[in-house]
Amino acid sequence: MARIAVIGAGTGAMAAAARLAVAGHRVVVYERARTYGGALGRFERDGFSFDTGPGLLPLPAVWRDLFVKTGKQPLESCVELVQVDPSSRHVFADGTEVSLPNASRAGVVAALDSALGAGAGERWGDFLVRARETWDRTRRPLLEEPLWPNWRVLAEREPYPAVPHRRLLRTRRAGTLAEVAARELRDPRLAALLESHALAYGLDPRTAPANAAVLPYMEYAFGMWYVRGGGLRELARAVYERCLARRVEFRFEAEVTGIVEKDGRVAGVELGDGAVEEAGFVVSGVAPAVLDRLHGGSPVRTDGEVPAQRSGASRLTVLLALRGGRPGGTAHRTVVHAADRAAELDRLFGAAPGVAARPTVTVLRPDDPALVPDADHEAVTLSAVVPAPGDASDGPTPEVYARWAEQLIDVAERAVPGLRNRLLWHEVRTPADVAADTGVPDGAIPAPALAGAAGRLLHAANSTRTDGLFTVGGWSHPGGGLPHAGMSGALVAGLVVEGPEFRGSQ
């Protein structure tokens, strides 16, 4: 069997490494940082512990499948995976609040009717039926199969079955998520609920295609999960240990500086100390711009392929250490919606990017003793989407981020009464910290692959023009998000083991 070099120890890369090792290959992972996990990091101080990346897990079946396929111990024997209930609490601009049960369409419908008025739940429930049809149409080609050679078929078709509306003697269908909200939900609070799912991935709902409806569908159909005993960093730890059990070798603080080729095929990787490590295959888990640099500055994608997706959004996170224990009955996740959603979107995606005065803020309050020094304290995480600084030298300064962080804390007081009086200290994590964790130069966050929109939200295929070189992780098919990272690992392993004829798991 071949020797395989994996660049990066993010979750998608480790998922591929474990599967390839089970297939009999010798796998070596080269990670420039001191630890594994990529975006699934951890910050610790004074007995408090925080996830620095995603705080909840949708579609855990992807990771259950990895553990089934790579060993005898199932995922639940390696981590304590629990459903959070309610799935989320929402605080809208007009002061209305609603808590939505986890993985219960009927419960969600009843909760929305009770909080927003009769008919609101029914409209949301009808929307979820259409979202399910969209999921059924797109799940396999977008998530479970390698990107089709004729990917333009996916780019040209909008799979969401929008309700037709007659206006000015013409029949029209919603083409964007914002149009779905306006025409089919017909309530500004339901619109905010729907659009927040796109915003969480850095997508502008005014331009995101209607089939972004699959994002809320995944949550309401499969639930939202948390890893008790330390947060989602524990999922990364479990995947890392599964790799070790399968005899994957890890080399930390080992930066790959080049990809070695011979006769049009990869032959190994070059390291920062000048050493060359031979390999029959190379699996890259780094961002496209970084991979192109490793490839001598030339693009590695095949001609006519989907261009590498670019995201203009990142995430600002504020970690709060609070005195006083977590009150009983507290929701794990509360979304405090922007006071002016249109203004927020203009600030995020307009010509003068910034953060609205009262942005949409997600507040995570895990019920997890492992995160706090004792029961008389609470660890809370705030996050909001912010523009990625890109390559501009005049991007936000630390002082600007500090001011934005104060705005997040102000908004979060609507979810955590008396927050500032309980505050011991807070830590601000900016897009620069995201860049340090993930290696993406501007700290941008990739969105999941979506159909339609002329292919703008598809991701380039996992195979490349260089024989033996594959890509894995959020910047490759099928895109960003923890479930998608696991799926990309499965796709790359299948392509390496079975070759280009691989068509996905059955």
Side-chain angles (χ1 to χ4, degrees), residues 365-390:
R365 306 179 69 182
D367 181 12
D368 190 347
L371 305 183
V372 291
D374 53 52
D376 293 326
H377 294 86
E378 184 179 6
V380 176
T381 300
L382 315 180
S383 64
V385 174
V386 298

Side-chain angles (χ1 to χ4, degrees), residues 260 267-271 273-278:
V260 180
V269 294
E270 182 177 351
L271 304 181
D273 61 3
V276 173
E277 302 277 348
E278 294 183 355

Side-chain angles (χ1 to χ4, degrees), residues 156-298:
E156 295 165 358
R157 295 179 181 176
E158 172 51 68
Y160 178 78
V163 176
H165 289 268
R166 288 190 62 82
R167 185 177 182 183
L168 300 177
L169 303 180
R170 296 178 62 185
T171 299
R172 298 182 179 181
R173 293 178 181 269
T176 68
L177 200 66
E179 290 173 344
V180 170
R183 299 178 187 181
E184 300 177 14
L185 299 180
R186 304 189 305 280
D187 184 303
R189 297 162 297 184
L190 290 179
L193 173 60
L194 173 59
E195 293 178 4
S196 67
H197 289 275
L199 187 61
Y201 285 101
L203 296 173
D204 185 347
R206 301 170 301 184
T207 59
N211 68 92
V214 298
L215 301 178
Y217 174 77
M218 287 173 59
E219 175 173 331
Y220 294 108
F222 308 113
M224 296 297 283
W225 301 74
Y226 175 73
V227 180
R228 188 174 170 87
L232 263 66
R233 173 65 180 177
E234 288 300 294
L235 175 64
R237 187 266 310 160
V239 177
Y240 169 68
E241 291 181 354
R242 177 54 53 92
C243 286
L244 294 179
R246 301 281 76 81
R247 298 188 178 181
V248 174
E249 180 182 349
F250 285 81
R251 298 187 187 177
F252 295 109
E253 298 184 276
E255 183 174 7
V256 173
T257 56
I259 294 173
V260 180
E261 293 184 29
K262 183 177 180 181
D263 300 327
R265 180 180 174 83
V266 295
V269 294
E270 182 177 351
L271 304 181
D273 61 3
V276 173
E277 302 277 348
E278 294 183 355
F281 295 91
V282 174
V283 175
S284 170
V286 300
V290 177
L291 178 57
D292 289 345
R293 187 172 70 245
L294 300 182
H295 196 251
S298 61

Side-chain angles (χ1 to χ4, degrees), residues 135 138-145 449 477-478 484 487 491:
W135 171 261
T138 61
R139 174 181 58 84
R140 186 157 184 82
L142 280 182
L143 301 179
E144 298 177 352
E145 296 180 347
H477 180 72
H484 301 72
M487 293 172 186
L491 291 175

Side-chain angles (χ1 to χ4, degrees), residues 129-143:
V129 171
R130 294 186 289 276
R132 176 179 179 176
E133 185 173 340
T134 308
W135 171 261
D136 290 340
R137 292 175 177 179
T138 61
R139 174 181 58 84
R140 186 157 184 82
L142 280 182
L143 301 179

Side-chain angles (χ1 to χ4, degrees), residues 53-214:
L56 289 171
L57 176 66
L59 202 59
V62 172
W63 297 98
R64 291 189 180 115
D65 180 72
L66 172 71
F67 277 74
V68 167
K69 299 291 176 57
T70 60
K72 296 181 179 179
Q73 284 187 309
L75 175 61
E76 276 81 354
S77 70
C78 301
V79 296
E80 185 182 354
L81 196 62
V82 296
Q83 275 191 313
V84 298
D85 200 13
S87 171
S88 58
R89 171 182 169 230
H90 292 264
V91 180
F92 298 106
D94 66 353
T96 307
E97 298 185 15
V98 63
S99 292
L100 302 179
N102 201 339
S104 171
R105 178 180 176 275
V108 167
V109 168
L112 289 172
D113 273 339
S114 176
L116 308 187
E122 181 180 1
R123 292 195 298 278
W124 184 260
D126 290 344
F127 158 74
L128 288 180
V129 171
R130 294 186 289 276
R132 176 179 179 176
E133 185 173 340
T134 308
W135 171 261
D136 290 340
R137 292 175 177 179
T138 61
R139 174 181 58 84
R140 186 157 184 82
L142 280 182
L143 301 179
E144 298 177 352
E145 296 180 347
L147 187 69
W148 293 352
N150 59 337
W151 58 266
R152 290 177 179 81
V153 174
L154 300 173
E156 295 165 358
R157 295 179 181 176
E158 172 51 68
Y160 178 78
V163 176
H165 289 268
R166 288 190 62 82
R167 185 177 182 183
L168 300 177
L169 303 180
R170 296 178 62 185
T171 299
R172 298 182 179 181
R173 293 178 181 269
T176 68
L177 200 66
E179 290 173 344
V180 170
R183 299 178 187 181
E184 300 177 14
L185 299 180
R186 304 189 305 280
D187 184 303
R189 297 162 297 184
L190 290 179
L193 173 60
L194 173 59
E195 293 178 4
S196 67
H197 289 275
L199 187 61
Y201 285 101
L203 296 173
D204 185 347
R206 301 170 301 184
T207 59
N211 68 92
V214 298

